[in-house]
Amino acid sequence: MKLVPVLIASVLAATAAQAADPLPSWNDGAAKQSIVAFVGKVTAEGTPDFVPPAERIATFDNDGTLWAEQPMYFQLLFALDQVRLLASQHPEWRDQEPYASLLKGDVKGALAGGEKSLAEIMMATHAGTTTEEFAGRVSGWIAAAKHPKTGKLYTAMVYQPMLELLAYLRANGFKNFVVSGGGIEFMRPWAEAVYGIPPEQVIGSSIKTKFEMRGGTPVLLRLPELNFFDDKEGKPVGIQQHIGRRPVAAFGNSDGDLQMLQWTAAGSGPRLCLYVRHDDAAREWAYDRESSVGRLDKGLDEAKARGWTVVSMKGDWKAIYPEP
Amino acid sequence: MKLVPVLIASVLAATAAQAADPLPSWNDGAAKQSIVAFVGKVTAEGTPDFVPPAERIATFDNDGTLWAEQPMYFQLLFALDQVRLLASQHPEWRDQEPYASLLKGDVKGALAGGEKSLAEIMMATHAGTTTEEFAGRVSGWIAAAKHPKTGKLYTAMVYQPMLELLAYLRANGFKNFVVSGGGIEFMRPWAEAVYGIPPEQVIGSSIKTKFEMRGGTPVLLRLPELNFFDDKEGKPVGIQQHIGRRPVAAFGNSDGDLQMLQWTAAGSGPRLCLYVRHDDAAREWAYDRESSVGRLDKGLDEAKARGWTVVSMKGDWKAIYPEP
């Protein structure tokens, strides 16, 4: 056998294998196998495990599951940036906490007031506009703001293996939903471009809105009042409210996703419940049971007890972020 | 020319024309023309009016727009039937209004207490179960209950021309949503079979639900507390909450739909806003400005002022209900 044809053949074979692999950034292992086995089952027509396409509902947490969430939730970084941007319209903030500390560059001091300071910053930066004005603010920020540690755009800090998973499920007839504790209108302006998930498939926390006529033109005004908190017990509630059927697959990374995974697991037929575990301090961050952001404690115990899939970012993922 | 071939040719031509007409139950006229012209516009690639498929969102009111609503909303008839069905579990109802009157067959007396009686009956029959139990009750009722006047199943009292319109829009890349003042979980169990609209595209009023573990199994419990009232100013709020983008077409029949039509009309590019007018006492019911159910008063004035499409059930529709 001549060398060149053998080399060509082996390159071609490798290329074909790669082209055929819908999850190229996943190392071969138990996590990847559980995903591929599940999709194979539910799409096998004529078998008892077959799930009709209309019922192939998959729900994904966002922070820590589809994109990073350190050193704090990206939506909070957006809020802090908005305070700086809006400060000129609010001269009173110069002497008023938590804004005063924040405007002096003291983020820690600004957040020292805990939940109350946080809620105040969130409402000051998320309410008081129309829905369209707010979407514009989010779009402007997400297109330009850079992460303090990586220097990347936030949309470049989505997880490449999860993008492949979203595409793989979609190609197999699944309808993917985001189900996040984050703000529904903070995610919608970019979720379609980044995740291929349209606005009507984004579920999240929300503030109340009010329909109002402004000079003959109807607007939806964003009010400084919580409407729905889509976390923990709220996730199955939000899923029922928006989707009206139980998911067959659910993906999370923290205790905030536990009830969503429990609700998904409790349906009949094949199920895929998966936790992403942040154990890669070199390429991303490593945190779990003790973390204030994205704590994974009870969820990890339950995953082990029930045999859910636990993904090691360090061991299961060849890449973390998409290639620039 | 011989007679038989001519006849055959004319029959074939008529059949072809009928096959090509996506709205066969609509008489030719301004209403039908406005629909066909709108769909032609938004699907014309390369023109300024073209709307990408992802943005082809159409919202339909349910009561009085997709199915009948006389002599009272069908969901109220469901509630009254449920009181009778559940009475054996509630011996106290025999001496307690509004149940006592209702159980004696005096519906008018039972509803004499107005909003308060109504709310009590609704909560007694809509709350206190899990979401799955409630869906089962609705499915059982909708499969068997008959309308007091027509003797038809309620799902046989949907409007044939509107079914054709739903299918026509769907065939042209639209995503159809129900946006109803009625209960979201009252519609979901049958909307897919009857309208081709899946649960995740049904928006409606709702009561609060609560995630709870029952002997290790998670359930969603329906609470006797209003969560969201999806009527009037609530419709654009519900649309934003669930869909996250503005519809390009909206269909209603009452003042409860006016804000949805205003919100839809205020977007840029081609829009279709349409009111169904109940003016056919012989085949259905005739009511508008003075009706307590489905009042169309302000909406009718605004439709005329803005040039929205107003469908006369009497003049524009060849059929009301589907052929049995």
Side-chain angles (χ1 to χ4, degrees), chain B:
Chain B
M1 213 185 280
K2 282 176 190 167
L3 190 62
V4 172
V6 171
L7 270 176
I8 288 172
S10 107
V11 166
L12 285 177
T15 309
Q18 202 173 19
D21 182 358
L23 301 171
S25 300
W26 291 72
N27 286 315
D28 288 321
K32 181 174 180 170
Q33 279 164 25
S34 75
I35 296 168
V36 174
F38 168 76
V39 171
K41 259 192 224 176
V42 300
T43 56
E45 276 192 73
T47 70
D49 285 337
F50 179 73
V51 175
E55 292 168 25
R56 292 183 202 154
I57 302 288
T59 53
F60 290 82
D61 169 58
N62 187 41
D63 298 305
T65 299
L66 293 179
W67 74 353
E69 60 181 352
Q70 296 288 358
M72 56 185 96
Y73 295 126
F74 294 175
Q75 188 174 358
L76 181 53
L77 293 167
F78 162 76
L80 300 181
D81 283 350
Q82 289 297 108
V83 169
R84 292 175 200 115
L85 203 68
L86 299 170
S88 62
Q89 298 165 40
H90 294 274
E92 75 280 9
W93 284 357
R94 253 173 289 160
D95 309 304
Q96 191 183 319
E97 290 300 345
Y99 310 102
S101 295
L102 192 55
L103 294 172
K104 285 176 205 140
D106 179 12
V107 174
K108 218 171 171 179
L111 299 178
E115 295 272 318
K116 199 170 158 280
S117 302
L118 194 62
E120 189 161 339
I121 291 170
M122 293 304 280
M123 288 305 177
T125 54
H126 285 68
T129 60
T130 67
T131 46
E132 293 190 337
E133 286 162 356
F134 184 73
R137 286 187 188 179
V138 172
S139 297
W141 183 81
I142 205 92
K146 301 281 177 70
H147 187 273
K149 184 180 164 190
T150 66
K152 288 174 183 283
L153 288 174
Y154 291 99
T155 51
M157 291 179 70
V158 298
Y159 302 132
Q160 174 62 25
M162 296 303 284
L163 295 182
E164 293 168 7
L165 179 54
L166 287 166
Y168 176 48
L169 291 176
R170 199 161 40 236
N172 280 281
F174 280 79
K175 204 179 247 190
N176 297 326
F177 287 79
V178 170
V179 179
S180 171
I184 190 168
E185 301 298 0
F186 175 71
M187 299 180 285
R188 280 174 163 162
W190 49 270
E192 188 153 28
V194 176
Y195 300 143
I197 296 181
E200 62 268 27
Q201 286 162 228
V202 175
I203 304 171
S205 297
S206 57
I207 55 177
K208 288 195 189 297
T209 61
K210 190 187 160 199
F211 179 86
E212 204 176 86
M213 279 289 178
R214 280 194 179 171
T217 301
V219 296
L220 286 171
L221 193 64
R222 291 169 59 80
L223 308 178
E225 189 187 341
L226 186 70
N227 176 60
F228 182 65
F229 187 42
D230 190 47
D231 199 35
K232 298 192 172 74
E233 287 82 2
K235 289 205 174 194
V237 170
I239 286 170
Q240 180 62 30
Q241 182 70 21
H242 283 257
I243 310 178
R245 43 185 156 200
R246 197 190 297 254
V248 293
F251 306 87
N253 77 298
S254 80
D255 285 354
D257 305 311
L258 179 55
Q259 289 81 359
M260 173 169 77
L261 270 62
Q262 288 171 329
W263 178 243
T264 300
S268 61
R271 303 280 138 170
L272 177 61
C273 292
L274 181 152
Y275 264 128
V276 172
R277 191 173 184 184
H278 294 265
D279 60 358
D280 193 333
R283 295 187 300 172
E284 207 240 4
W285 283 272
Y287 56 98
D288 51 23
R289 295 186 190 271
E290 304 298 328
S291 180
S292 63
V293 172
R295 175 175 303 175
L296 179 60
D297 181 34
K298 285 182 197 167
L300 199 54
D301 294 337
E302 188 140 344
K304 284 177 183 172
R306 288 167 167 262
W308 293 344
T309 300
V310 178
V311 171
S312 159
M313 292 178 75
K314 193 172 178 180
D316 286 312
W317 287 2
K318 288 182 190 158
I320 304 290
Y321 304 127
E323 293 272 331

Side-chain angles (χ1 to χ4, degrees), chain A residues 62 66-67 158 163 166 170 176 178 190-197:
Chain A
N62 187 42
L66 293 179
W67 74 353
V158 298
L163 295 181
L166 287 166
R170 199 162 40 236
N176 297 326
V178 169
W190 49 270
E192 189 153 27
V194 176
Y195 300 143
I197 296 181

Side-chain angles (χ1 to χ4, degrees), chain A residues 3 8 51 123 235 255 260:
Chain A
L3 190 63
I8 289 174
V51 175
M123 288 306 178
K235 289 206 175 192
D255 286 355
M260 173 169 78

Side-chain angles (χ1 to χ4, degrees), chain A:
Chain A
M1 211 185 282
K2 284 179 190 163
L3 190 63
V4 171
V6 171
L7 270 175
I8 289 174
S10 105
V11 167
L12 284 176
T15 308
Q18 201 174 19
D21 181 357
L23 301 170
S25 300
W26 292 71
N27 286 316
D28 288 321
K32 181 173 181 172
Q33 279 163 24
S34 75
I35 295 169
V36 174
F38 168 77
V39 171
K41 261 193 222 174
V42 301
T43 55
E45 275 192 74
T47 70
D49 284 337
F50 179 73
V51 175
E55 292 167 24
R56 292 184 202 155
I57 303 289
T59 54
F60 290 81
D61 169 58
N62 187 42
D63 298 306
T65 300
L66 293 179
W67 74 353
E69 59 181 354
Q70 295 289 358
M72 57 184 98
Y73 296 126
F74 294 176
Q75 188 174 359
L76 180 53
L77 293 167
F78 161 77
L80 301 181
D81 283 349
Q82 289 298 108
V83 169
R84 291 176 201 116
L85 204 66
L86 299 170
S88 63
Q89 298 164 41
H90 294 272
E92 76 279 11
W93 284 356
R94 253 174 290 161
D95 310 304
Q96 191 183 320
E97 291 299 342
Y99 310 101
S101 295
L102 191 55
L103 294 173
K104 284 176 208 138
D106 179 12
V107 174
K108 218 171 171 181
L111 298 179
E115 295 272 319
K116 199 169 159 281
S117 301
L118 195 62
E120 187 161 339
I121 291 170
M122 292 304 279
M123 288 306 178
T125 53
H126 285 68
T129 61
T130 67
T131 47
E132 294 191 336
E133 286 162 356
F134 184 72
R137 286 187 187 179
V138 173
S139 297
W141 182 81
I142 205 91
K146 301 279 177 71
H147 187 273
K149 185 180 164 191
T150 66
K152 288 175 183 280
L153 287 174
Y154 291 98
T155 51
M157 292 179 70
V158 298
Y159 302 131
Q160 174 63 24
M162 296 304 283
L163 295 181
E164 294 167 7
L165 179 54
L166 287 166
Y168 176 49
L169 291 176
R170 199 162 40 236
N172 280 281
F174 281 78
K175 206 180 245 188
N176 297 326
F177 287 80
V178 169
V179 179
S180 170
I184 190 168
E185 302 298 1
F186 175 71
M187 298 179 285
R188 279 172 163 164
W190 49 270
E192 189 153 27
V194 176
Y195 300 143
I197 296 181
E200 62 268 27
Q201 286 161 229
V202 175
I203 305 172
S205 297
S206 57
I207 54 177
K208 288 196 190 296
T209 62
K210 190 187 160 201
F211 178 87
E212 205 176 86
M213 279 290 178
R214 281 194 178 170
T217 302
V219 296
L220 286 171
L221 193 63
R222 292 170 58 81
L223 307 178
E225 189 187 342
L226 187 70
N227 177 59
F228 182 65
F229 187 42
D230 190 47
D231 199 34
K232 299 194 172 73
E233 288 82 3
K235 289 206 175 192
V237 170
I239 287 170
Q240 180 62 31
Q241 183 70 17
H242 282 257
I243 310 178
R245 43 185 156 201
R246 196 191 297 254
V248 294
F251 306 86
N253 77 300
S254 80
D255 286 355
D257 305 311
L258 179 56
Q259 289 82 358
M260 173 169 78
L261 270 62
Q262 289 171 329
W263 178 243
T264 300
S268 60
R271 304 279 138 171
L272 177 62
C273 292
L274 182 152
Y275 264 127
V276 172
R277 192 172 183 186
H278 295 265
D279 60 358
D280 193 334
R283 295 188 301 172
E284 206 240 6
W285 283 271
Y287 56 97
D288 50 24
R289 294 186 191 272
E290 304 297 330
S291 179
S292 63
V293 172
R295 175 174 305 176
L296 179 60
D297 181 33
K298 287 183 197 166
L300 199 54
D301 295 336
E302 187 140 344
K304 284 178 182 169
R306 290 168 166 261
W308 293 343
T309 300
V310 177
V311 171
S312 159
M313 292 178 74
K314 193 173 178 179
D316 287 313
W317 287 0
K318 288 182 191 159
I320 304 289
Y321 305 127
E323 294 271 332

